[in-house]
Amino acid sequence: MTTAAPETPAPSLTARRLWTRSRGPLAALLLLVISGVILAALQSGEQHGRLDPRSADRSGSRALARLLAGQGVSLQVATTSEEAARASGPGTTLLITDPDVLTQKQLTALHTATAHTAGRTVLLTPGSASLWTFAPGVQAQPATSISPRKPACSLPDAHRAGSVLLGGLRYTTSDARTDRCYPVSGRPTLLRLPSAGSGRDTVLLGSADFLTNQHLAEHGNASLALQLLGAHHHLIWYLPSVSDPSSAHDQRSFLDLIPTGWSWALLQLTIAAGLAAVWRARRLGPLVPERLPVTVPAAETTEGHARLYEQTGARDRAATVLRSATRTRLAPLLGVPPTQAHAPDRLLPALHTHLTVRAGTGTDLHTLLFGPAPADDRALVQLADQLDALESSIVSQERHAPREHPDR
């Protein structure tokens, strides 16, 4: 009866090792997630009601709405492009707080509704898409810092307001009729484009911070805001929203929302990752033989295996190895092919013809070479001695056997 090998704590050690190795990256990932949630919560609180005339938050515009109401300007808040287009009649000012979130269909509808009516259209931080519709020929330049700036133009509204908190996007155009105000490095951050014949002008603002409750009372911010948005008795304050039903059939994909610079950066990172993979990959070609740093003698290897078998109590495995090795060495001496050395019906008859022992040896030989595992260590040692004695007797007979020599 064989003794089963004791269970080893390999799984627990492996789990503990995996936890030890991964707890550092997991802690860093958890810290990153927590930081992102905190930043998102803080930013969402700051952006709540941004440029909303009904909001009293720091980023809202309720103070400006009350000043406009005191000047006799009626204000209408629109949340859909259809509502803004219907309300944009003659003698009205249309303010679009975030024109770049609108689809091309919405931009075209708003421009069509206001192109032939007298009034004013004010776009806050418009980009290429909205400029192409409302201000053809005008190009947006990279943004700059926002700080108090002087008018440096002849526009009466800007001249009366004086220094205003402006900056952000800058604009360039070749139209000589435009008013270019509050320039940064020679490029204006406020651009007024008069239209030919319709009595309507378009105002582009590179930054909208001077319209918020937080900065309205600073410098000439309130003066410029009242003059730009209070030029007519009716003001449509359009707050674009991604939930606008009119944009459901023309939604931009996720890739369209990614800035162009990020796509180039992603391409560079992909190329760098590919080059790093090629550099770290296994070299192609045939295997190159390498000399071992240490040569272990066969006796030491055998002794090491024996100690491992003894520690684990693997007498069955040790007996199988001893019997298999003996059968493999006896087969060539008995004239048995190596492929049939472990077949009892081929090895035992050949063994009987080389041994002259007492009756009943056949059963003993079968038990010796193909029998069960030893019951204890003493039986295993006895089995090894018997196998060695059997092999020695066969070798001795082969040495003393008469050899036939061919005739000369």
Side-chain angles (χ1 to χ4, degrees):
M1 180 177 180
T2 60
T3 303
E7 297 182 356
T8 59
S12 60
L13 291 178
T14 302
R16 184 180 303 174
R17 188 179 298 109
L18 289 175
W19 166 247
T20 303
R21 293 180 179 178
S22 59
R23 61 185 179 183
L26 288 177
L29 180 60
L30 180 61
L31 180 62
L32 181 63
V33 172
I34 294 175
S35 302
V37 172
I38 293 175
L39 290 176
L42 293 176
Q43 291 182 358
S44 63
E46 293 178 356
Q47 297 298 323
H48 174 69
R50 176 172 170 77
L51 296 175
D52 192 331
R54 301 161 297 185
S55 174
D57 295 343
R58 293 161 57 90
S59 59
S61 298
R62 184 176 179 181
L64 176 58
R66 289 192 172 184
L67 291 178
L68 289 170
Q71 297 294 327
V73 178
S74 62
L75 188 148
Q76 177 182 352
V77 178
T79 56
T80 64
S81 58
E82 288 87 351
E83 183 181 0
R86 288 195 304 266
S88 298
T92 60
T93 300
L94 173 62
L95 171 65
I96 305 177
T97 59
D98 195 358
D100 283 350
V101 303
L102 301 176
T103 64
Q104 187 58 48
K105 180 180 178 181
Q106 291 174 307
L107 291 172
T108 303
L110 288 172
H111 182 260
T112 303
T114 59
H116 304 290
T117 59
R120 170 173 290 177
T121 301
V122 181
L123 304 177
L124 302 184
T125 64
S128 301
S130 51
L131 289 176
W132 185 83
T133 303
F134 283 95
V138 178
Q139 295 182 351
Q141 303 298 324
T144 185
S145 61
I146 299 174
S147 61
R149 313 222 180 246
K150 295 182 179 180
C153 67
S154 59
L155 181 66
D157 296 346
H159 184 72
R160 286 190 292 266
S163 297
V164 173
L165 187 66
L166 267 173
L169 294 178
R170 298 171 295 171
Y171 302 97
T172 58
T173 179
S174 59
D175 192 348
R177 300 174 304 163
T178 59
D179 293 309
R180 302 171 175 86
C181 301
Y182 302 98
V184 180
S185 300
R187 295 174 179 176
T189 57
L190 185 152
L191 205 65
R192 191 186 75 89
L193 305 167
S195 61
S198 63
R200 189 175 192 89
D201 60 358
T202 302
V203 177
L204 312 178
L205 291 171
S207 172
D209 288 2
F210 74 98
L211 302 176
T212 61
N213 299 327
Q214 180 182 1
H215 301 292
L216 186 64
E218 301 174 0
H219 310 287
N221 297 346
S223 175
L224 182 63
L226 289 174
Q227 294 179 84
L228 292 180
L229 302 182
H232 302 278
H233 294 290
H234 188 55
L235 171 64
I236 299 116
W237 197 298
Y238 177 30
L239 299 170
S241 172
V242 293
S243 61
D244 190 345
S246 61
S247 63
H249 302 289
D250 193 14
Q251 292 287 347
R252 288 182 290 178
S253 65
F254 174 75
L255 296 178
D256 295 334
L257 300 177
I258 300 177
T260 307
W262 282 102
S263 60
W264 284 108
L266 180 61
L267 177 60
Q268 293 177 4
L269 290 176
T270 303
I271 295 175
L275 293 177
V278 173
W279 168 53
R280 298 295 297 174
R282 185 183 298 275
R283 181 175 297 176
L284 302 178
L287 297 177
V288 178
E290 182 180 0
R291 296 183 60 183
L292 296 177
V294 178
T295 302
V296 181
E300 294 185 9
T301 303
T302 303
E303 183 179 356
H305 288 172
R307 289 179 179 176
L308 290 176
Y309 290 150
E310 182 182 5
Q311 292 177 1
T312 58
R315 288 183 293 273
D316 54 345
R317 178 62 179 168
T320 300
V321 172
L322 291 174
R323 284 167 170 162
S324 177
T326 301
R327 293 194 299 266
T328 301
R329 290 191 296 270
L330 289 178
L333 300 177
L334 301 176
V336 177
T339 57
Q340 300 179 357
H342 308 290
D345 56 344
R346 292 298 305 273
L347 183 66
L348 293 179
L351 186 59
H352 289 320
T353 61
H354 286 71
L355 293 177
T356 55
V357 294
R358 66 183 181 276
T361 302
T363 304
D364 295 338
L365 291 177
H366 188 278
T367 303
L368 180 62
L369 294 174
F370 300 96
D376 50 25
D377 292 343
R378 180 176 296 180
L380 178 62
V381 174
Q382 183 179 1
L383 173 64
D385 293 340
Q386 292 176 353
L387 291 174
D388 184 62
L390 176 62
E391 185 176 354
S392 299
S393 64
I394 297 296
V395 173
S396 177
Q397 289 186 13
E398 287 294 322
R399 289 178 179 176
H400 296 87
R403 301 176 181 274
E404 295 182 0
H405 300 279
D407 296 336
R408 297 180 180 274

